[in-house]
Amino acid sequence: MNYFTSYSLIASLIGVGAFLFLFSFFYMVVLGLLCIVQFASSITLVAINDEQKHEILNRSWVGASNVSRVEVEHAFDCCGFDQNTTDSVNSVAGCSDLPCCKDLYLTTEEQCFLHPENASAPNVTMVGCEPCKAKIEEQ
């Protein structure tokens, strides 16, 4: 008895099955690699202490372009990286356009820094924009 009369139908079913098998195998390999990469990165992030984290952020800020720095400042509403040594090496630009600085009617970039001398009211101790380092580390 011959149950199958169409060899083209059998060949196409075998071809589709082989394609699905290869596709699923490739998919599983990619998922396995992504799982390994994600596990390795999570272990790395857990192993980084605060000092190393600050060093990585500092190097990233120094290596970033002025456009990238201004975008970060506008996204987090902050001025400069740490308003200390990093910002004395790299010029700070765009802080006077930030809401935290415009609300205070401060005109120069350095006036936008968070300093006690910017405080005009007796009960206000610090006036100005916060450094971006603190806001980035919160994320």
Side-chain angles (χ1 to χ4, degrees):
M1 252 197 244
N2 193 357
Y3 291 110
F4 301 108
T5 56
S6 175
Y7 290 112
S8 61
L9 178 66
I10 295 171
S12 63
L13 287 175
I14 291 173
V16 168
F19 171 76
L20 290 175
F21 177 76
L22 291 175
F23 182 75
S24 63
F25 178 76
F26 177 73
Y27 184 72
M28 293 305 290
V29 168
V30 169
L31 281 180
L33 291 175
L34 284 176
C35 184
I36 291 169
V37 167
Q38 189 163 7
F39 182 72
S41 65
S42 65
I43 294 295
T44 304
L45 291 176
V46 169
I48 293 177
N49 62 23
D50 288 338
E51 184 178 315
Q52 291 169 331
K53 183 177 170 182
H54 174 70
E55 182 65 28
I56 291 169
L57 288 174
N58 191 13
R59 286 184 186 179
S60 300
W61 187 267
V62 169
S65 67
N66 283 335
V67 174
S68 298
R69 289 186 200 136
V70 169
E71 286 177 3
V72 169
E73 289 171 344
H74 282 279
F76 289 107
D77 195 24
C78 57
C79 182
F81 179 68
D82 57 3
Q83 298 179 356
N84 198 355
T85 55
T86 304
D87 296 321
S88 63
V89 174
N90 297 314
S91 62
V92 179
C95 289
S96 58
D97 296 333
L98 296 170
C100 61
C101 194
K102 277 186 175 180
D103 295 343
L104 302 172
Y105 302 105
L106 301 174
T107 56
T108 65
E109 307 297 333
E110 289 78 21
Q111 285 179 328
C112 293
F113 282 178
L114 190 63
H115 289 301
E117 59 265 15
N118 289 343
S120 57
N123 60 347
V124 178
T125 57
M126 301 290 259
V127 174
C129 297
E130 290 184 50
C132 292
K133 175 190 161 209
K135 292 197 172 190
I136 292 171
E137 285 179 346
E138 287 175 3
Q139 297 296 317

